[in-house]
Amino acid sequence: MILRLIALQYATYAPQEKRTALSQRKVLVFWLPLALAWWLMTIESPVLQGVISRRPDSETQLAAFGLLFTLQILIETPIIMLLATSNALARDRQSFRLLWRFMLCLNLLITLVALLMAFTPLLDLYLGGLLRIPSHIVEATRPGMQIMALWGAFIGFRRFHQGIIIRFGNTRHVGVGTVLRVSVSGGTALALGALTNIAGAAIGGAALMLAVIAEAVYIWRVAQPDVASLLQTRRKVGQPALTYRKAIQFHLPLAITSLLTMLVHPAIERGLASTADAEQSLAAWPVVFSILLTMRAGGMAYQEVVLSLNESEDHHRSLRIFTLRLGGSLSLFMLVFAFSPLIRFYLTSILEVPGHLHSLIIMGAQVGLLLPLLTTLHSYFRALLMLSYRTPAIYQAIGLGFVLTALVVWGGIALGMEGILAAALGLTLGHLVELLYLYFAYRREHGALRLHWQSLAVAA
């Protein structure tokens, strides 16, 4: 019962045009705005890293900012999927009000965890005791944690209202909000870097906090007409009322998926912290990961394309061709970037990363060459499984990928492998095994996808 309602939503709200042949140009036009929104989100970290790299003690501060960002993401996993939950379940006044209270409870929960991490010894126990991060990096992380204590709550508030906006088809506001957030975070970081002596990781935390507040306020404001429409909508006769139990049953699997996906970060950080050059590896890895994330953004955006456009056998063939072209193109661009002077120009002239970290970052980017292709294929097969209502395989694949990534990272480092090499290799092999699991799960259930196409043809 995982993600079934999401798949149903996409089937219900997909454009009801005549289902004619799907050209590659149509797929490209549909994909581009989504990819742009994802890409804008991914450039936020490189912008902040560029400011931090120009500050004193940049190596320690880069490592601290990387830990700060991944820890905050881990804390917020229960609310990341509020967008999908509100989009799928908010259909009238009663359901909206229940989901509003549900969102507030989740926000209170993650805020409590964030406050404990920021203002108690829990941060030392987690970073120092569990992950074995050097103590001076832990201390450099603490101010940013305190600044961002309410970060997750604002994200939950924003994601909840984004789901409402998308349900009513006003997706342009989501893109505008992303532009606003990136602009505020970049502008704040540049201003604080130029005008203050604040430590780099704290600058990054302040920039992220102000940016998410600005975006949350904007999204809340533009969502008000849609919220008003829901509040004026009475529950249909005979339609069962939404209950907390139903909301939890829908949301919990989504939260578990997010948690499994995010757990790979502390697993890698734990491995890097055990290397002989722990500080250098922990400073280089966030830069490596931000490069990989930026290159994978287009593939991450592709899942919504397949969910929305896979309406027939002909469309399926067109999307399969586009998948291979898109994934291959993204990895080709990664190849050109990682194996040419472009990456050194990026590290030297744009980010100004300390020179002794360059070789580590370049090695990680080169080893992660296939990740853009693998990410695109992940999006493709996950969408097909969602449309087939065979989504347990998605969790199973993520869990298997996480275990293999951790084993490769920890095992490689134990055998003397360079930390960044082990991290990038582990991430790649984990994604490869996850892809194989998704592929064979899809092959077993291809008939269910045909039933989905038949249902769409009948509805048309």
Side-chain angles (χ1 to χ4, degrees):
M1 289 183 60
I2 300 172
L3 306 177
R4 291 187 178 185
L5 284 177
I6 293 181
L8 184 59
Q9 286 295 312
Y10 278 100
T12 303
Y13 291 102
Q16 299 298 311
E17 300 171 358
K18 289 183 67 177
R19 294 185 174 93
T20 55
L22 185 65
S23 68
Q24 297 294 288
R25 183 178 181 277
K26 287 181 180 178
V27 182
L28 178 65
V29 170
F30 193 97
W31 167 79
L32 272 175
L34 298 172
L36 179 60
W38 271 93
W39 182 76
L40 284 172
M41 287 188 286
T42 63
I43 66 171
E44 189 172 36
S45 285
V47 170
L48 300 181
Q49 289 165 355
V51 174
I52 296 170
S53 297
R54 292 166 169 83
R55 306 291 294 169
D57 196 22
S58 59
E59 186 173 302
T60 297
Q61 296 300 320
L62 280 170
F65 178 69
L67 292 167
L68 165 67
F69 188 69
T70 56
L71 179 52
Q72 288 287 355
I73 292 290
L74 186 63
I75 292 172
E76 72 161 32
T77 50
I79 52 87
I80 288 177
M81 289 298 185
L82 271 175
L83 184 154
T85 300
S86 64
N87 179 283
L89 302 183
R91 52 183 177 266
D92 51 43
R93 179 171 56 195
Q94 182 271 332
S95 57
F96 173 83
R97 286 177 172 173
L98 184 140
L99 290 170
W100 171 267
R101 294 190 293 270
F102 182 67
M103 177 267 293
L104 292 179
C105 290
L106 287 178
N107 281 352
L108 182 62
L109 173 65
I110 64 171
T111 299
L112 177 61
V113 174
L115 288 170
L116 289 173
M117 277 288 186
F119 293 98
T120 74
L122 190 58
L123 185 67
D124 302 277
L125 292 174
Y126 175 71
L127 292 181
L130 183 61
L131 300 189
R132 304 288 178 85
I133 304 298
S135 58
H136 66 286
I137 299 180
V138 176
E139 288 306 311
T141 306
R142 196 182 309 278
M145 285 296 299
Q146 295 172 347
I147 292 170
M148 295 180 68
L150 297 179
W151 192 63
F154 277 99
I155 287 182
F157 182 81
R158 183 199 78 202
R159 299 284 287 178
F160 174 81
H161 286 92
Q162 283 176 327
I164 303 298
I165 288 172
I166 292 173
R167 181 176 180 84
F168 281 85
N170 299 317
T171 53
R172 67 186 184 282
H173 294 312
V174 177
V176 174
T178 302
V179 173
L180 174 64
R181 187 183 81 230
V182 173
S183 300
V184 171
S185 64
T188 300
L190 290 171
L192 291 177
L195 302 175
T196 73
N197 294 320
I198 300 174
I203 288 177
L208 289 173
M209 189 67 221
L210 290 175
V212 79
I213 291 173
E215 186 183 15
V217 171
Y218 170 77
I219 292 296
W220 169 80
R221 181 66 186 86
V222 298
Q224 290 312 293
D226 299 331
V227 170
S229 178
L230 282 175
L231 291 175
Q232 294 169 7
T233 303
R234 295 183 179 273
R235 182 160 46 92
K236 294 180 180 179
V237 177
Q239 184 180 52
L242 180 66
T243 64
Y244 285 110
R245 182 176 181 178
K246 290 179 182 178
I248 292 172
Q249 286 176 339
F250 180 87
H251 186 79
L252 184 60
L254 303 179
I256 293 173
T257 301
S258 298
L259 179 62
L260 288 173
T261 303
M262 298 304 174
L263 280 177
V264 72
H265 299 295
I268 290 175
E269 290 162 353
R270 172 65 180 84
L272 295 178
S274 65
T275 60
D277 59 344
E279 184 164 356
Q280 291 185 23
S281 295
L282 288 167
W285 178 247
V287 182
V288 174
F289 189 77
S290 69
I291 292 172
L292 297 176
L293 189 62
T294 301
M295 296 295 181
R296 294 162 58 203
M300 291 176 174
Y302 192 57
Q303 179 173 291
E304 283 69 34
V305 177
V306 181
L307 283 169
S308 298
L309 300 183
N310 198 334
E311 300 174 342
S312 66
E313 184 75 49
D314 289 339
H315 287 197
H316 180 70
R317 283 193 291 267
S318 295
L319 288 167
R320 183 172 58 212
I321 294 170
F322 190 88
T323 302
L324 296 175
R325 289 177 175 175
L326 174 62
S329 299
L330 293 174
S331 273
L332 179 61
F333 186 77
M334 182 71 183
L335 171 69
V336 173
F337 178 79
F339 287 88
S340 75
L342 283 174
I343 190 168
R344 288 196 179 275
F345 173 79
Y346 175 71
L347 296 176
T348 303
S349 301
I350 298 179
L351 294 190
E352 290 192 12
V353 173
H356 62 282
L357 299 179
H358 287 192
S359 60
L360 292 175
I361 295 170
I362 292 172
M363 175 175 60
Q366 292 175 345
V367 173
L369 169 66
L370 293 178
L371 281 169
L373 171 61
L374 295 175
T375 298
T376 306
L377 292 170
H378 278 192
S379 294
Y380 176 71
F381 286 111
R382 284 180 183 177
L384 296 182
L385 287 168
M386 289 168 68
L387 291 172
S388 304
Y389 305 118
R390 299 296 187 269
T391 47
I394 297 174
Y395 292 140
Q396 295 158 9
I398 292 173
L400 184 62
F402 163 72
V403 170
L404 183 64
T405 298
L407 289 176
V408 171
V409 174
W410 297 347
I413 290 173
L415 294 173
M417 186 181 294
E418 190 86 49
I420 293 295
L421 174 60
L425 183 62
L427 200 61
T428 300
L429 292 178
H431 274 67
L432 178 60
V433 168
E434 184 179 341
L435 172 62
L436 291 174
Y437 193 94
L438 291 171
Y439 170 75
F440 286 112
Y442 159 71
R443 293 299 300 173
R444 290 193 302 268
E445 305 293 350
H446 184 63
L449 188 60
R450 293 183 182 277
L451 292 176
H452 167 72
W453 295 331
Q454 292 171 8
S455 67
L456 289 178
V458 171

